[in-house]
Amino acid sequence: MNKKLYRSNDRILGGVCAGIAEYFDFDPTLVRVAYVLLTLCTAFSGLLAYIILWIVMPDRRNVTM
């Protein structure tokens, strides 16, 4: 099976963390908590990564399957 990375419809802000969780079969809440902890520990550099991923990752709503 060819898995692709998309922003999720189960979104709080942009769907990036939930999309990553769906791709790796993790719980979205755990990915969100890990993201927040890593962002706080790296002087908010995770914020820039989130914005870049939000722009680059295609939205699942716009994809025909």
Side-chain angles (χ1 to χ4, degrees):
M1 182 173 153
N2 192 7
K3 290 173 61 171
K4 294 193 179 190
L5 184 61
Y6 295 106
R7 286 187 287 137
S8 177
N9 293 331
D10 176 25
R11 59 182 66 199
I12 289 181
L13 185 60
V16 174
C17 290
I20 292 170
E22 287 176 5
Y23 184 80
F24 291 109
D25 283 332
F26 290 145
D27 182 22
T29 304
L30 294 177
V31 174
R32 290 175 182 130
V33 169
Y35 167 75
V36 168
L37 291 175
L38 287 171
T39 298
L40 292 174
C41 292
T42 59
F44 296 97
S45 62
L47 186 60
L48 179 62
Y50 191 92
I51 292 170
I52 291 170
L53 286 173
W54 195 350
I55 294 168
V56 173
M57 287 173 63
D59 194 356
R60 184 173 297 282
R61 293 182 292 187
N62 298 334
V63 176
T64 57
M65 290 189 196

